[in-house]
Amino acid sequence: MEPVILCPKLQLQTDSREYEVLYHAAVQSATVPGASVEIGVREGGGSELIMRASHGYNRSRVHVAIDPWGDLPYILSGQDSGYHYTDEMRHRCMVGLSTIQYKTGVDVLVMPMCDTDFFERYADGVPFYRAGQDESITRYSLVHFDGPHNLDDIRKEVDFFTDRMSCGSWWVFDDVYLYDHAALETDILAAGFVRQDAPYSPQRPNPIKASYRKVG
Ligand SMILES: C[S@@+](CC[C@H](N)C(=O)[O-])C[C@H]1O[C@@H](n2cnc3c(N)ncnc32)[C@H](O)[C@@H]1O
């Protein structure tokens, strides 16, 4: 029998399954120092879920949402998937996430750019100002990897975040069946993370999401 975990009801759309894994990681990481991140935002439902976890457990955690939208080709297994992440979707998502920000008080920084652009431009930190303070973001407590689903691209993402994650932070990977996630897992474990997948078992058949917690 599948474990029961109550995800909050969302206003914005999602496009996958096992969001309980993301919500659990978002709750567990809420009080760990550093911002939360989603790479690949689409309509904003995944980011909303993370922001709602922060709202419940640590309202001061900033959320960084990275996505170029712009109707760029989305490559899966070496081919154009035909999925369209359009300018109109960006417009809708920004309104949606701004509304969630306004209602929850959780700050969201939408970065309308590719992951690699973000890594080049914000390697020294993300400028952020609040309550009269400069809170430049250099550390992270949670990353949801849900942009490109190609091993080389995700490796670049993992490389960027590895030395920026706080102790006790979490990584969540979506659609792990779409690429050689087992090969990536070697890098993840070497970076000091252990597999979790809570509230599910990592041994369940056909996982959609995989989660990891940084120990030590
Ligand atoms: C699978 S959808 C994300 C779904 C969303 N996380 C959710 O749970 O509802 C993939 C998204 O990745 C974005 N994307 C594609 N290439 C990207 C890149 N290089 N960097 C960041 N995001 C990217 C697309 O624009 C699209 O919105």
Short mmCIF file of all heavy atoms in Angstrom, two decimals, residues 40 66-72 85-87 90 111-115 117:
data_model
loop_
_atom_site.label_atom_id
_atom_site.label_comp_id
_atom_site.label_asym_id
_atom_site.label_seq_id
_atom_site.Cartn_x
_atom_site.Cartn_y
_atom_site.Cartn_z
N GLY A 40 13.31 24.27 -14.46
CA GLY A 40 12.19 23.77 -15.27
C GLY A 40 10.90 24.00 -14.51
O GLY A 40 10.54 23.21 -13.63
N ILE A 66 13.94 28.79 -12.28
CA ILE A 66 14.75 28.98 -13.50
C ILE A 66 14.09 28.29 -14.69
O ILE A 66 13.86 27.07 -14.65
CB ILE A 66 16.16 28.39 -13.30
CG1 ILE A 66 16.83 28.96 -12.05
CG2 ILE A 66 17.03 28.63 -14.54
CD1 ILE A 66 18.08 28.20 -11.60
N ASP A 67 13.78 29.05 -15.73
CA ASP A 67 13.16 28.48 -16.94
C ASP A 67 13.23 29.52 -18.05
O ASP A 67 12.87 30.67 -17.84
CB ASP A 67 11.69 28.11 -16.66
CG ASP A 67 11.11 27.16 -17.70
OD1 ASP A 67 11.31 27.39 -18.90
OD2 ASP A 67 10.44 26.19 -17.29
N PRO A 68 13.67 29.13 -19.25
CA PRO A 68 13.71 30.13 -20.34
C PRO A 68 12.34 30.31 -21.01
O PRO A 68 12.11 31.34 -21.64
CB PRO A 68 14.69 29.50 -21.34
CG PRO A 68 14.55 28.02 -21.12
CD PRO A 68 14.26 27.85 -19.65
N TRP A 69 11.45 29.30 -20.92
CA TRP A 69 10.23 29.28 -21.75
C TRP A 69 10.64 29.69 -23.19
O TRP A 69 11.62 29.14 -23.69
CB TRP A 69 9.14 30.18 -21.17
CG TRP A 69 8.59 29.72 -19.86
CD1 TRP A 69 7.63 28.78 -19.65
CD2 TRP A 69 8.94 30.20 -18.54
NE1 TRP A 69 7.36 28.65 -18.29
CE2 TRP A 69 8.15 29.51 -17.59
CE3 TRP A 69 9.85 31.15 -18.04
CZ2 TRP A 69 8.23 29.73 -16.22
CZ3 TRP A 69 9.94 31.37 -16.68
CH2 TRP A 69 9.14 30.66 -15.78
N GLY A 70 9.90 30.60 -23.85
CA GLY A 70 10.32 31.09 -25.16
C GLY A 70 10.13 30.12 -26.30
O GLY A 70 10.67 30.30 -27.39
N ASP A 71 9.40 29.02 -26.05
CA ASP A 71 9.10 28.03 -27.10
C ASP A 71 10.37 27.45 -27.74
O ASP A 71 10.41 27.20 -28.95
CB ASP A 71 8.20 28.65 -28.18
CG ASP A 71 7.24 27.60 -28.76
OD1 ASP A 71 7.23 26.46 -28.26
OD2 ASP A 71 6.54 27.93 -29.73
N LEU A 72 11.39 27.24 -26.92
CA LEU A 72 12.62 26.61 -27.42
C LEU A 72 12.37 25.12 -27.66
O LEU A 72 11.52 24.52 -26.99
CB LEU A 72 13.75 26.78 -26.39
CG LEU A 72 14.12 28.21 -26.01
CD1 LEU A 72 15.24 28.22 -24.97
CD2 LEU A 72 14.55 28.99 -27.25
N TYR A 85 6.77 25.17 -24.57
CA TYR A 85 6.78 25.95 -23.33
C TYR A 85 6.88 27.41 -23.77
O TYR A 85 7.96 27.97 -23.93
CB TYR A 85 7.95 25.52 -22.44
CG TYR A 85 7.91 24.03 -22.13
CD1 TYR A 85 8.87 23.15 -22.63
CD2 TYR A 85 6.88 23.50 -21.34
CE1 TYR A 85 8.80 21.79 -22.36
CE2 TYR A 85 6.81 22.15 -21.06
CZ TYR A 85 7.77 21.29 -21.57
OH TYR A 85 7.70 19.95 -21.30
N THR A 86 5.73 27.99 -23.98
CA THR A 86 5.60 29.22 -24.77
C THR A 86 5.77 30.50 -23.94
O THR A 86 5.79 30.48 -22.71
CB THR A 86 4.22 29.27 -25.43
OG1 THR A 86 3.24 29.29 -24.36
CG2 THR A 86 3.97 28.05 -26.30
N ASP A 87 5.81 31.61 -24.68
CA ASP A 87 5.85 32.93 -24.02
C ASP A 87 4.58 33.16 -23.20
O ASP A 87 4.63 33.74 -22.11
CB ASP A 87 5.99 34.03 -25.07
CG ASP A 87 7.25 33.85 -25.90
OD1 ASP A 87 8.21 33.24 -25.40
OD2 ASP A 87 7.27 34.31 -27.05
N ARG A 90 4.93 31.51 -19.98
CA ARG A 90 5.75 32.33 -19.06
C ARG A 90 4.90 33.43 -18.43
O ARG A 90 4.99 33.67 -17.22
CB ARG A 90 6.94 32.94 -19.81
CG ARG A 90 7.81 33.83 -18.91
CD ARG A 90 9.02 34.41 -19.62
NE ARG A 90 8.66 35.25 -20.74
CZ ARG A 90 8.99 35.01 -22.01
NH1 ARG A 90 9.72 33.97 -22.31
NH2 ARG A 90 8.61 35.83 -22.98
N MET A 111 13.79 33.49 -12.78
CA MET A 111 14.94 33.71 -13.67
C MET A 111 14.54 33.18 -15.04
O MET A 111 14.61 31.96 -15.28
CB MET A 111 16.15 32.93 -13.14
CG MET A 111 16.58 33.34 -11.75
SD MET A 111 17.36 34.95 -11.84
CE MET A 111 17.68 35.23 -10.11
N PRO A 112 14.11 34.06 -15.97
CA PRO A 112 13.65 33.58 -17.27
C PRO A 112 14.81 33.32 -18.21
O PRO A 112 15.04 34.06 -19.17
CB PRO A 112 12.75 34.73 -17.75
CG PRO A 112 13.29 35.93 -17.07
CD PRO A 112 13.98 35.50 -15.81
N MET A 113 15.53 32.26 -17.93
CA MET A 113 16.75 31.93 -18.70
C MET A 113 17.05 30.45 -18.55
O MET A 113 16.54 29.77 -17.66
CB MET A 113 17.94 32.75 -18.18
CG MET A 113 18.29 32.46 -16.74
SD MET A 113 19.50 33.61 -16.05
CE MET A 113 18.54 35.10 -15.89
N CYS A 114 17.92 29.94 -19.45
CA CYS A 114 18.35 28.54 -19.36
C CYS A 114 19.23 28.34 -18.12
O CYS A 114 19.89 29.27 -17.65
CB CYS A 114 19.13 28.15 -20.60
SG CYS A 114 18.13 28.00 -22.06
N ASP A 115 19.25 27.11 -17.65
CA ASP A 115 20.09 26.75 -16.50
C ASP A 115 21.54 27.21 -16.70
O ASP A 115 22.15 27.80 -15.81
CB ASP A 115 20.01 25.23 -16.24
CG ASP A 115 20.22 24.38 -17.49
OD1 ASP A 115 20.44 24.93 -18.58
OD2 ASP A 115 20.16 23.13 -17.36
N ASP A 117 22.75 29.62 -18.53
CA ASP A 117 22.87 31.08 -18.40
C ASP A 117 22.91 31.47 -16.93
O ASP A 117 23.71 32.31 -16.51
CB ASP A 117 21.67 31.79 -19.06
CG ASP A 117 21.64 31.56 -20.55
OD1 ASP A 117 22.71 31.56 -21.18
OD2 ASP A 117 20.53 31.35 -21.08
#
